[in-house]
Amino acid sequence: MIRPHSLHTPKRSTKKPSLLSFWVDHTITHFTKSYFTNQQQISLRSSSFHKMAANCGWLWSFIWLIILLCLGWPLGILAAVLYAIFSPFAACCKPCADFTNFLMEHGVKLPYTAASNMVNGRSGC
């Protein structure tokens, strides 16, 4: 005897969902909401430059990679060495303290800034 398709519906489980399945569902829901929110924000921009820049994130990521390799790491290492040399003198010399603060804020963190911009595809201008 052939049964209709409606009779073959599987029974629903009465077990509570596991923590892993809850986490996966939550992650997928959060990702899709944030993706569509970002897409809507991109489509709301009226300027053609912003639309072009939003579509060329991969190009900016490549440019930031070149900046990281050619400028970020060498200048960051140089700033770290200079910071290590001048930091003992910062305790007694105010200009040395200002110089070491500048090295730490702008020089040592340069590779991080370039890598962060590369990952996010931020434009350089």
Side-chain angles (χ1 to χ4, degrees), residues 47-101:
S47 166
S48 63
F49 174 76
H50 287 291
K51 289 180 183 177
M52 182 185 70
N55 293 333
C56 294
W58 62 270
L59 180 63
W60 282 111
S61 294
F62 183 72
I63 291 170
W64 280 112
L65 175 67
I66 292 172
I67 291 172
L68 175 66
L69 295 176
C70 296
L71 295 175
W73 278 335
L75 291 178
I77 291 170
L78 177 65
V81 169
L82 290 175
Y83 179 81
I85 291 171
F86 285 103
S87 63
F89 302 111
C92 62
C93 180
K94 177 68 174 155
C96 286
D98 294 337
F99 181 64
T100 56
N101 287 337

Side-chain angles (χ1 to χ4, degrees), residues 17-65:
S18 69
L19 184 61
L20 179 64
S21 66
F22 173 76
W23 180 80
V24 169
D25 291 341
H26 176 72
T27 304
I28 291 172
T29 304
H30 176 71
F31 173 75
T32 54
K33 284 182 181 177
S34 65
Y35 174 76
F36 288 115
T37 302
N38 290 341
Q39 289 299 102
Q40 290 168 354
Q41 288 174 355
I42 290 171
S43 65
L44 291 177
R45 294 179 180 165
S46 60
S47 166
S48 63
F49 174 76
H50 287 291
K51 289 180 183 177
M52 182 185 70
N55 293 333
C56 294
W58 62 270
L59 180 63
W60 282 111
S61 294
F62 183 72
I63 291 170
W64 280 112
L65 175 67

